[in-house]
Amino acid sequence: QVQLVQSGAEVKKPGASVKVSCKASGYTFTDYYIHWVRQAPGQGLEWMGWINPNSDGTNYAQKFQGRVTMTRDTSISTAYMELSRLRSDDTAVYYCARGGWVVIPATPVYHYWGQGTLATVSS
Amino acid sequence: QSALTQPASVSGSLGQSITITCTGATSDIGGYNSVSWFQQHPGKAPKLMIYEVSHRPSGVSNRFSGSKSGNTASLTISGLQAEDEADYYCSSYTSSSTVFGGGTKLTIL
């Protein structure tokens, strides 16, 4: 069965970086996009970007460009999302989600989600 | 990219039907047949309920249906049940990116 397992909760100081991992299993990792979505406390879902694990191509939401980096390690079927220059309003649960096939556009068909990783930014 | 517009809250009684709307633009909802709807219970990850406007994933009740007209997508839930009380989010493809709606809280009366 398809599973996405994320790394544990993080506490960071303003200005630091956080790196969240998302380990995939139950399917061919390089066949499907991985998207990252975050949710601040009591707020809605916010799309951050995607990575194509096959080509290593990425696309980031304009809001995060320059601060976010999405990478992957195909040898261990794991995707990563690193957010730098953290601010208090980056406190959120960060989710990875499996998107569609990498041979078609990166549409929001997220059948599978990770359990979420809470990142808290506080001095 | 502006968020899609959803009502903040809707409510309905057990057994009734409700519809949640999601309004975007020709650059997102109106331009692609790629609208998804997600259900989220408190403290849980979102769950895909509808994709590509009107397709239901395996295991999702046929009480959930989706449609689109112009720049507005809709999610209809018929025969409301207690477990349907949750937050609902729409999303749309737009030029290699995704945009979400602000979310709608469904309350079962």
Side-chain angles (χ1 to χ4, degrees):
Chain A
Q1 73 284 18
V2 175
Q3 278 193 305
L4 299 174
V5 179
Q6 299 183 219
S7 47
E10 303 263 13
V11 179
K12 297 292 183 181
K13 293 192 182 304
S17 297
V18 68
K19 190 171 185 177
V20 180
S21 66
C22 172
K23 182 171 178 59
S25 62
Y27 72 98
T28 302
F29 178 63
T30 50
D31 281 352
Y32 295 86
Y33 291 98
I34 291 288
H35 292 244
W36 289 89
V37 176
R38 77 176 187 178
Q39 186 170 36
Q43 302 301 308
L45 303 175
E46 183 175 31
W47 181 78
M48 300 182 69
W50 55 252
I51 182 167
N52 177 334
N54 185 52
S55 68
D56 202 26
T58 55
N59 184 43
Y60 304 139
Q62 190 171 9
K63 174 178 179 176
F64 299 104
Q65 288 195 10
R67 283 209 304 144
V68 71
T69 304
M70 296 178 188
T71 56
R72 90 307 190 218
D73 184 338
T74 58
S75 69
I76 55 171
S77 299
T78 300
Y80 303 91
M81 186 284 300
E82 184 171 21
L83 189 62
S84 63
R85 303 196 300 278
L86 290 169
R87 307 182 294 255
S88 58
D89 62 358
D90 290 317
T91 293
V93 175
Y94 290 80
Y95 292 102
C96 61
R98 196 188 83 168
W101 281 357
V102 296
V103 296
I104 62 174
T107 54
V109 184
Y110 309 145
H111 287 274
Y112 302 98
W113 293 70
Q115 82 275 20
T117 297
L118 175 61
T120 303
V121 183
S122 174
S123 55
Chain B
Q1 181 64 51
S2 300
L4 307 175
T5 300
Q6 298 180 234
S9 63
V10 299
S11 61
S13 300
L14 289 170
Q16 280 189 330
S17 296
I18 63 95
T19 295
I20 300 172
T21 58
C22 173
T23 302
T26 53
S27 57
D28 39 64
I29 292 177
Y32 307 94
N33 285 322
S34 186
V35 176
S36 295
W37 289 90
F38 300 90
Q39 176 192 67
Q40 187 180 35
H41 288 108
K44 300 294 187 182
K47 176 185 177 182
L48 180 66
M49 305 302 285
I50 296 288
Y51 65 98
E52 292 174 2
V53 176
S54 60
H55 292 81
R56 270 189 315 275
S58 173
V60 172
S61 170
N62 58 10
R63 298 185 298 105
F64 292 83
S65 62
S67 63
K68 187 186 89 165
S69 177
N71 297 338
T72 298
S74 299
L75 173 72
T76 298
I77 310 173
S78 60
L80 281 173
Q81 299 180 0
E83 60 263 34
D84 298 334
E85 184 163 290
D87 294 325
Y88 291 85
Y89 295 91
C90 62
S91 69
S92 176
Y93 176 78
T94 170
S95 301
S96 295
S97 301
T98 292
V99 61
F100 281 100
T104 298
K105 181 175 182 58
L106 170 60
T107 301
I108 307 300
L109 301 173

